[in-house]
Amino acid sequence: MAEKNIKEPVYLGLIGFPAFHSLSPRMHKKALKLLNISGEYLAFEIPPERFEKAVEGAKNLGFRGLNITLPFKERAYKMSDEVGSDEVKFIGSANTLLFENGKIKCFNTDVFGFEKALEKKGYQIEGKKIAVIGAGGASRAVVFSSLKNKAKKITIFNRTKSKAEKIAEDMQTLSSKTEIEIKELKEIDIDEFDIVVNATSLGWKDENLLDIFQKVKINKNKKEKKLFFDTIYRKTPFLKEGEKLGYDTEDGKWMLVLQGAKSFEIWLGIYPPDEEMLKEIENM
Ligand code: ATR
């Protein structure tokens, strides 16, 4: 896949609904520029009834690939001709499509984004106890990554318990060494975990995360190193609470950049300068 000299202009883009607020065009355009590749990365806001047609349209226009965001990631997976790598099958949704020889190949680079973001923060997953709040697409990527990287235990907390159970059922075959447990949010005991991840869609508005922090049992004397990680790229109420409790916190900006950098590598065979991409969106 690696290409040393990309001479033709490269067309890339993002499809979502909404999509115009996305930071992806900025960081991908920056990467193209830094690597001296001529091309474009455009965001398309497509109404749900036209999603598949829009993807086919991009393919027929000669686009190299697309990022796919809410609410289309599952449909992107379903309409693909080929699975690009293992994680997509377990997660059941794709955020990256590659058009190759007239075929649509799908990938999920959120997994890379999550694990690499933790690594950049100086945390490793192996041997850790991880709490994952939420059971949607983002949660599936986090659970997959935690299993792949040999977490000791993963506890999934979700409003709708059946969705958490389905994740455990779908993914437990990946590793028998990691225990997957489902609990009610009100049972959360922060002290039990090394890494607590907010993978719900809550956080854009100032909703407090289910008021869980009014219910959690926190042993004030036991302040070990702990990370509160949010998949959303702003300082959410969840992260503010983590900070108040004196823990390390990390928002989803690095995860966003790193999933994008990995998509870029899938499309062009070159891993782009991720630090520069982060700088480009940092003050937005
Ligand atoms: P994503 O792909 O970003 O993960 P999603 O698939 O829509 O988005 O999942 C959203 C997650 O946020 C789900 O876990 C959802 O809980 P349910 O499975 O019970 O729907 C959670 N979520 C969204 N709004 C919520 C709310 N007001 N209270 C609790 N959980 C919420």
Side-chain angles (χ1 to χ4, degrees):
M1 216 188 316
E3 296 169 53
K4 294 279 173 301
N5 290 305
I6 299 167
K7 297 211 173 67
E8 306 279 313
V10 172
Y11 295 105
L12 303 166
L14 164 85
I15 295 185
F17 187 71
F20 293 144
H21 68 281
S22 171
L23 300 177
S24 292
R26 290 185 70 94
M27 63 185 191
H28 283 285
K29 281 182 194 178
K30 181 77 183 181
L32 287 169
K33 198 170 162 201
L34 287 169
L35 293 167
N36 233 341
I37 300 170
S38 90
E40 255 303 345
Y41 184 108
L42 298 163
F44 299 98
E45 197 158 297
I46 300 292
E49 64 276 13
R50 294 214 317 264
F51 172 69
E52 284 80 5
K53 280 188 185 152
V55 172
E56 289 293 342
K59 186 181 87 174
N60 291 320
L61 279 168
F63 273 53
R64 184 68 68 104
L66 290 171
N67 277 134
I68 305 295
T69 186
L70 296 179
F72 300 129
K73 290 183 182 184
E74 286 176 22
R75 282 166 68 179
Y77 167 62
K78 287 194 184 121
M79 75 175 290
S80 293
D81 303 305
E82 288 170 26
V83 162
S85 53
D86 256 5
E87 78 281 340
V88 205
K89 280 184 269 175
F90 287 94
I91 297 168
S93 67
N95 73 333
T96 304
L97 299 179
L98 169 72
F99 303 129
E100 207 173 47
N101 307 321
K103 295 255 168 70
I104 305 173
K105 235 178 185 177
C106 66
F107 302 80
N108 190 311
T109 66
D110 288 333
V111 173
F112 175 84
F114 174 70
E115 58 202 33
K116 199 77 189 167
L118 283 196
E119 197 185 303
K120 295 236 184 216
K121 187 77 184 172
Y123 278 79
Q124 57 166 48
I125 295 170
E126 188 168 352
K128 297 292 187 315
K129 291 185 187 164
I130 303 188
V132 184
I133 307 170
S139 165
R140 284 182 159 259
V142 169
V143 172
F144 178 91
S145 175
S146 303
L147 278 164
K148 194 185 99 189
N149 289 287
K150 305 191 180 80
K152 184 168 186 195
K153 186 162 115 178
I154 302 165
T155 309
I156 310 171
F157 299 89
N158 197 45
R159 179 179 58 181
T160 314
K161 204 173 174 188
S162 57
K163 277 170 74 183
E165 284 164 352
K166 183 79 174 70
I167 298 184
E169 189 188 313
D170 291 350
M171 298 206 193
Q172 186 70 80
T173 54
L174 266 166
S175 162
S176 55
K177 292 202 179 98
T178 304
E179 182 192 344
I180 307 182
E181 176 186 67
I182 315 293
K183 276 194 174 172
E184 298 283 341
L185 259 169
K186 59 178 185 294
E187 296 175 85
I188 196 168
D189 177 357
I190 296 296
D191 276 341
E192 259 191 61
F193 303 100
D194 305 297
I195 299 169
V196 184
V197 182
N198 175 27
T200 69
S201 45
L202 295 177
W204 284 108
K205 295 181 211 129
D206 255 12
E207 300 146 297
N208 207 331
L209 193 68
L210 320 169
D211 299 326
I212 57 168
F213 295 102
Q214 287 158 25
K215 295 173 191 143
V216 293
K217 294 165 255 164
I218 292 157
N219 178 355
K220 298 274 183 228
N221 302 319
K222 200 176 140 198
K223 280 255 168 91
E224 278 148 18
K225 195 168 146 82
K226 215 182 276 292
L227 177 68
F228 272 42
F229 184 97
D230 208 312
T231 55
I232 292 172
Y233 55 82
R234 69 179 274 263
K235 196 168 179 180
T236 58
F238 168 78
L239 293 182
K240 287 179 196 156
E241 289 294 336
E243 234 172 47
K244 263 196 244 161
L245 295 167
Y247 299 134
D248 278 355
T249 60
E250 176 76 3
D251 70 29
K253 253 190 194 147
W254 253 129
M255 184 171 167
L256 173 78
V257 168
L258 294 163
Q259 62 78 34
K262 189 72 186 169
S263 302
F264 192 98
E265 185 184 47
I266 288 168
W267 298 321
L268 298 169
I270 303 166
Y271 188 82
D274 53 19
E275 304 268 349
E276 298 296 325
M277 290 166 82
L278 178 70
K279 264 190 225 148
E280 188 65 16
I281 63 160
E282 212 153 30
N283 298 316
M284 295 297 295

